[in-house]
Amino acid sequence: MNNIFLLNDYITNGYRLEFVDFIYIISILFGIFTIISRNPIVSVLFLIGLFVNIAGLLILVGYDYIGLSYILVYVGAVSILFLFILMLINIRISELVSETNNDIPLAVITVLLFYFIIGQVIPSNLTDNTIVTSLSNSFSEVYNVQLDNEILNIIDLKQEIAYASSKSWDNSLIEFTHITGIGNIMYTNYSLWLIISSVILLVGMVGAIVITIKQK
Amino acid sequence: MLLSSIFCLLLSNALSFRRDTAILYSRIGIIVLFYCIYLAYNNLFLTYLDNGIGLFGGLFYTSSITQIFHILIFLVSLLILNMTGFYPRKLISSEYMSLHKLIFTKLSFVKNLTVSNIILKKGEQYTIIEYTLMLLFIITGSVLLISSSDLVSIFLSIELQSYGLYLLCAMYRNSESSTSASLTYFLLGGLSSCFILLGIGLIYANLGVTYLDSFYVINNLAGIINNQEITTYIPYCLLLISVGFLFKISAAPFHFWSPDVYDGIPTIVTTFVAIIAKISILTLLLQLVHYTNSIYITTSYSWTTSLLVSSLLSLIIGTVLGLTQFRIKRLFAYSTISHLGFMLLALTINSVESIQSFIFYLIQYSLSNLNAFILLVAIGYSLYAYNDKNINHNNLIDKNNSPIQLISQLKGYFHINSILALSLSITLFSFAGIPPLMGFFAKQMVFSAALQEGFIFLTLVGVLTSVISAVYYLFIVKTMFFDGHTYTSFNKLKDLKIPALVLQKDKVINKIYFDSKFALSSSLSITISILTLIILLFMFMPNELLHISNLLSIILFIPNSI
């Protein structure tokens, strides 16, 4: 009874892997649609969808903070800025028709090259989780592949799952989410950085006003 | 203190409706900087600060070196603010000179417009009320940069400093050239920030630390254990960071932006941009180089050799390209590059003597560069009463903000204002390293330190380039003294009588006339004379500066010796 299977946490982390595959497929679709669609506004809308999707994925995987900041920064600021600019410059859709089919082999080669190079450089435990391998895994039997490495039976796991995370009080000290963790550090040890970066933002604001204000 | 006064200034700037109160803000800035100098001097305990004390959980630190350079930065920017804090010209009347009259009576001019034209009340530098504010922001950034001891705080403070600098360049909005120069500066500065950030990221990825202290400890202890590969990448990361820094201080392979930027922005701003950023970044590099110099024991590659390459290139490019310049601010930019070569040489050798010479060189160079730029500004102001017959000189772009742009504009200046011409030539001689002046001693110290450590080739190059660079300094001196000038004084101003009423308790008691004897205002002339006398008379009392630099370098090497 004293066995605590942290392994269980490592594999699924509280969600079902199928959801992740689902998100992968949706985000790939969104990415393709972003490139394909002729209307720039629709394209930016797909981009926003892609960002939201990836933010959801990140939150699901456990990177709460990065996921939220994705939504905040990319969706909230950058994409809206894109939309604004696109609506302001008023491009007619008919002008944008151009033949891009010739570039498809180039795109494929670029992607493959990128994957090849990146796959060599980054550590192997990261490449296991890349989209392509996960996709290929999702078509095969994921559970068996994962568990064969760990020499454990799935039946054991199902029995012990209830005890995997205990509800005792000391967990609440350790189990920070990323946001609280980062906040705890940022507002205590590194609070000065926060102040300096706020001063930098202040300089930016003042400067923008100074450069553009109407002088009497 | 600096921050709180910045916020006060910000508030009052936001609330002020009149554009012509900018001069008062500059004076407030001067007072703030005096207070900061006092605080920095008060915290300068040479004996207690020997190892340096970490502040704010080790994000920043303070030691005697940082305090001294804080004072230097405050002093330099105080003198720069002095240029915008007072009107550049004054009227002199012998009738209105007695102390009694100055205190108890009040002058009231009848023709206000003429007077305000003469003392340049409507100059653009007196309508930008945010100038002081931005200056204080930049000073905050550079002060933080000098005393930062963490990679992230280095990046944050360098960004604070450089954003302020980009904005300061763009602040004179009516001049096209300054805006374009600011854009150039912004783009290239952003690029260099990318380099710095990449280096920092790589260091963090390889070692997992951002504290410079732990970084130094890891670097220096890794050599003890054999077969440790962890420091293999570190010199290259440091190289990337230093590429970013060299970009910002415009050392040689990355110098190409600086002549354009310096030439484009108004001379008053050039003074600040050219000096402050160099002081702070070079002081930071001093710390970085000193503590990471011994990595090459494990990696057989010392990143400081690349600094030597940069120094060599700076020396050569700064002198050779300077020979072909005919615009004076571009020439000053190239001379700055060649002086950076000397400073980088002294920095890289990293012995007690060379660090001493580095500190001394940095201090003297900032002061004499400051003097040169203030002189340019003052010469521009003093030519108000003269009409230039050369048509080329009257059609210069941006003439209002930087009146002196071409070297040929200085032709025969000795016959117009001999004192200013003498001061400028003394400063230029000091740049060139003519013996009794301050620049000579700095160069000599660098060379002797380099020779002692066996850098014979670089010393030879240094001597040769300083001889070559003397050519263009002497060319300016020649044009000033031996060429005939094309200036004629305005007839309208020559026999000008400015009526003025002397008031006492709102009663007119006297009426006097000012004739056309207006002179450079005493704020400018006092600054120039003090700096020139420091340069000229340094050899009579060299002890203060030399002792400061000597003490600082000894403290850096043997912390517990005092």
Side-chain angles (χ1 to χ4, degrees):
Chain A
M1 283 300 286
N2 290 331
N3 291 339
I4 297 177
F5 285 93
L6 288 177
L7 172 72
N8 180 41
D9 206 39
Y10 166 71
I11 295 172
T12 64
N13 205 356
Y15 60 87
R16 293 186 63 81
L17 276 176
E18 287 83 354
F19 286 131
V20 182
D21 295 334
F22 189 61
I23 290 178
Y24 284 154
I25 293 170
I26 289 181
S27 48
I28 288 174
L29 282 181
F30 272 172
I32 291 173
F33 278 133
T34 311
I35 304 171
I36 287 178
S37 68
R38 295 252 185 260
N39 191 339
I41 295 176
V42 175
S43 158
V44 170
L45 284 180
F46 273 121
L47 195 68
I48 293 176
L50 179 66
F51 283 140
V52 172
N53 226 332
I54 290 191
L57 174 69
L58 285 172
I59 294 175
L60 211 58
V61 170
Y63 297 119
D64 296 343
Y65 176 69
I66 298 179
L68 283 179
S69 61
Y70 241 76
I71 291 182
L72 207 70
V73 174
Y74 284 107
V75 180
V78 177
S79 310
I80 301 300
L81 206 67
F82 268 140
L83 268 187
F84 262 122
I85 293 169
L86 282 179
M87 287 173 178
L88 283 179
I89 56 179
N90 191 16
I91 308 170
R92 260 177 288 156
I93 301 166
S94 56
E95 290 172 4
L96 292 175
V97 179
S98 61
E99 216 33 64
T100 52
N101 285 336
N102 292 334
D103 300 338
I104 289 177
L106 185 67
V108 171
I109 289 174
T110 315
V111 168
L112 283 181
L113 203 67
F114 180 73
Y115 184 72
F116 182 67
I117 295 171
I118 288 294
Q120 280 184 336
V121 171
I122 60 178
S124 59
N125 60 339
L126 280 178
T127 45
D128 283 344
N129 293 330
T130 51
I131 299 169
V132 179
T133 44
S134 311
L135 263 183
S136 61
N137 281 346
S138 72
F139 291 123
S140 64
E141 283 292 308
V142 178
Y143 277 64
N144 283 341
V145 172
Q146 295 279 341
L147 287 176
D148 281 345
N149 296 335
E150 306 293 337
I151 328 168
L152 261 176
N153 263 327
I154 202 157
I155 305 135
D156 284 346
L157 267 178
K158 275 180 181 169
Q159 284 173 349
E160 301 289 340
I161 257 175
Y163 305 103
S165 76
S166 64
K167 289 288 179 199
S168 58
W169 63 272
D170 56 339
N171 254 11
S172 61
L173 281 184
I174 305 164
E175 273 189 4
F176 283 134
T177 54
H178 285 257
I179 301 175
T180 39
I182 290 172
N184 269 334
I185 296 172
M186 280 310 287
Y187 284 97
T188 52
N189 285 345
Y190 300 110
S191 57
L192 205 72
W193 288 351
L194 223 60
I195 295 173
I196 295 174
S197 40
S198 65
V199 172
I200 294 177
L201 286 180
L202 184 69
V203 171
M205 259 163 48
V206 170
I209 294 171
V210 167
I211 291 178
T212 56
I213 195 173
K214 192 179 180 188
Q215 282 177 349
K216 272 162 267 177
Chain B
M1 176 59 203
L2 202 56
L3 266 184
S4 61
S5 33
I6 280 177
F7 291 130
C8 293
L9 263 189
L10 184 66
L11 196 65
S12 60
N13 268 354
L15 291 178
S16 76
F17 293 107
R18 293 177 52 190
R19 304 295 301 181
D20 53 351
T21 49
I23 192 164
L24 301 178
Y25 286 113
S26 302
R27 293 178 190 172
I28 292 173
I30 291 175
I31 296 171
V32 168
L33 287 175
F34 265 121
Y35 199 82
C36 291
I37 288 178
Y38 169 70
L39 278 185
Y41 183 71
N42 214 16
N43 290 332
L44 178 66
F45 301 110
L46 280 179
T47 41
Y48 299 121
L49 283 179
D50 49 359
N51 274 322
I53 293 173
L55 302 174
F56 304 110
L59 302 184
F60 292 92
Y61 82 109
T62 176
S63 70
S64 339
I65 292 184
T66 66
Q67 293 298 320
I68 294 279
F69 280 101
H70 286 179
I71 294 177
L72 181 66
I73 278 188
F74 290 143
L75 193 70
V76 168
S77 38
L78 192 151
L79 293 178
I80 291 169
L81 265 181
N82 194 24
M83 280 195 289
T84 54
F86 299 93
Y87 295 123
R89 285 182 287 263
K90 64 178 180 190
L91 295 165
I92 301 173
S93 164
S94 50
E95 295 172 44
Y96 193 68
M97 282 305 244
S98 71
L99 198 61
H100 175 76
K101 280 183 179 168
L102 277 177
I103 294 172
F104 293 108
T105 61
K106 207 172 139 191
L107 263 186
S108 141
F109 289 106
V110 181
K111 291 179 184 171
N112 266 322
L113 191 65
T114 326
V115 175
S116 76
N117 266 339
I118 286 176
I119 65 173
L120 201 75
K121 210 171 181 177
K122 292 283 188 296
E124 194 177 358
Q125 64 265 40
Y126 302 114
T127 59
I128 301 172
I129 54 175
E130 294 88 357
Y131 178 74
T132 316
L133 180 74
M134 208 45 80
L135 226 64
L136 286 184
F137 271 128
I138 299 168
I139 295 165
T140 318
S142 43
V143 162
L144 286 179
L145 181 63
I146 283 181
S147 53
S148 57
S149 73
D150 189 301
L151 289 172
V152 181
S153 35
I154 286 177
F155 182 71
L156 282 179
S157 31
I158 210 170
E159 282 307 288
L160 180 57
Q161 176 191 307
S162 36
Y163 280 148
L165 286 176
Y166 311 144
L167 286 170
L168 194 72
C169 297
M171 217 163 232
Y172 286 72
R173 298 186 311 166
N174 296 336
S175 89
E176 203 172 300
S177 63
S178 93
T179 314
S180 73
S182 162
L183 191 65
T184 317
Y185 193 20
F186 172 62
L187 292 176
L188 292 171
L191 184 66
S192 63
S193 295
C194 287
F195 277 115
I196 295 174
L197 205 57
L198 179 62
I200 289 174
L202 283 176
I203 284 181
Y204 183 68
N206 279 313
L207 294 184
V209 292
T210 58
Y211 285 123
L212 280 182
D213 282 341
S214 22
F215 174 60
Y216 301 146
V217 168
I218 288 175
N219 277 325
N220 293 328
L221 288 188
I224 297 172
I225 312 162
N226 285 330
N227 304 323
Q228 285 286 314
E229 291 294 316
I230 56 165
T231 51
T232 320
Y233 294 108
I234 301 304
Y236 300 101
C237 306
L238 281 172
L239 190 65
L240 272 176
I241 294 182
S242 69
V243 163
F245 285 145
L246 293 180
F247 233 117
K248 297 241 179 214
I249 58 176
S250 76
F254 319 106
H255 66 281
F256 39 81
W257 59 271
S258 80
D260 296 334
V261 171
Y262 288 177
D263 195 38
I265 55 186
T267 316
I268 295 176
V269 182
T270 315
T271 320
F272 194 79
V273 172
I275 299 174
I276 296 295
K278 296 209 172 63
I279 298 178
S280 57
I281 291 176
L282 279 174
T283 319
L284 184 77
L285 267 181
L286 166 68
Q287 184 203 2
L288 215 61
V289 168
H290 175 69
Y291 287 112
T292 57
N293 207 23
S294 55
I295 305 179
Y296 66 92
I297 297 171
T298 49
T299 58
S300 74
Y301 167 69
S302 163
W303 70 287
T304 49
T305 49
S306 0
L307 279 187
L308 276 184
V309 172
S310 167
S311 145
L312 176 70
L313 284 176
S314 301
L315 284 172
I316 293 172
I317 287 176
T319 46
V320 173
L321 290 187
L323 287 176
T324 60
Q325 303 303 320
F326 58 92
R327 297 179 72 87
I328 190 152
K329 275 196 284 179
R330 290 181 77 91
L331 190 136
F332 275 163
Y334 281 110
S335 97
T336 305
I337 293 168
S338 83
H339 283 280
L340 269 177
F342 285 103
M343 281 188 258
L344 285 177
L345 175 63
L347 183 70
T348 321
I349 296 168
N350 197 26
S351 63
V352 178
E353 207 186 11
S354 78
I355 295 298
Q356 177 188 353
S357 67
F358 167 75
I359 292 169
F360 178 62
Y361 205 109
L362 188 53
I363 294 175
Q364 73 88 15
Y365 180 67
S366 327
L367 290 181
S368 45
N369 208 8
L370 177 68
N371 194 22
F373 277 112
I374 294 180
L375 272 166
L376 267 194
V377 174
I379 288 174
Y381 288 142
S382 71
L383 286 177
Y384 172 74
Y386 297 94
N387 189 19
D388 200 344
K389 276 191 293 190
N390 194 336
I391 302 168
N392 286 335
H393 294 172
N394 288 330
N395 295 332
L396 290 172
I397 306 165
D398 204 19
K399 188 123 193 312
N400 284 331
N401 288 325
S402 31
I404 300 290
Q405 295 182 7
L406 304 176
I407 294 177
S408 58
Q409 271 177 306
L410 292 175
K411 256 183 195 168
Y413 188 74
F414 177 70
H415 306 293
I416 295 173
N417 191 335
S418 48
I419 309 270
L420 277 186
L422 265 180
S423 313
L424 186 57
S425 54
I426 286 171
T427 313
L428 290 178
F429 279 139
S430 161
F431 278 163
I434 307 289
L437 303 173
M438 193 154 69
F440 163 72
F441 293 101
K443 279 187 182 174
Q444 182 252 336
M445 279 164 75
V446 172
F447 288 146
S448 74
L451 277 182
Q452 204 163 36
E453 296 292 318
F455 292 88
I456 297 172
F457 173 67
L458 271 174
T459 316
L460 266 180
V461 170
V463 171
L464 282 179
T465 50
S466 86
V467 169
I468 295 171
S469 71
V471 171
Y472 55 73
Y473 296 130
L474 287 178
F475 177 69
I476 300 179
V477 176
K478 189 207 115 196
T479 31
M480 270 196 306
F481 283 81
F482 298 112
D483 286 357
H485 65 83
T486 55
Y487 294 100
T488 49
S489 47
F490 281 118
N491 287 329
K492 196 175 70 180
L493 286 173
K494 218 170 199 172
D495 37 52
L496 183 73
K497 291 276 187 207
I498 306 166
L501 305 174
V502 181
L503 299 175
Q504 188 173 24
K505 291 172 189 161
D506 295 335
K507 277 184 294 182
V508 181
I509 55 166
N510 197 2
K511 192 175 183 187
I512 53 174
Y513 286 98
F514 286 95
D515 50 4
S516 59
K517 274 187 181 170
F518 40 82
L520 215 58
S521 87
S522 13
S523 67
L524 276 177
S525 49
I526 286 175
T527 315
I528 289 171
S529 54
I530 288 176
L531 286 176
T532 313
L533 284 182
I534 287 176
I535 293 171
L536 186 62
L537 303 180
F538 170 74
M539 60 171 175
F540 290 120
M541 38 176 222
N543 283 336
E544 284 75 14
L545 270 178
L546 288 181
H547 279 174
I548 283 176
S549 41
N550 197 5
L551 262 182
L552 289 183
S553 62
I554 287 177
I555 285 174
L556 191 65
F557 276 87
I558 320 159
N560 296 319
S561 61
I562 301 173

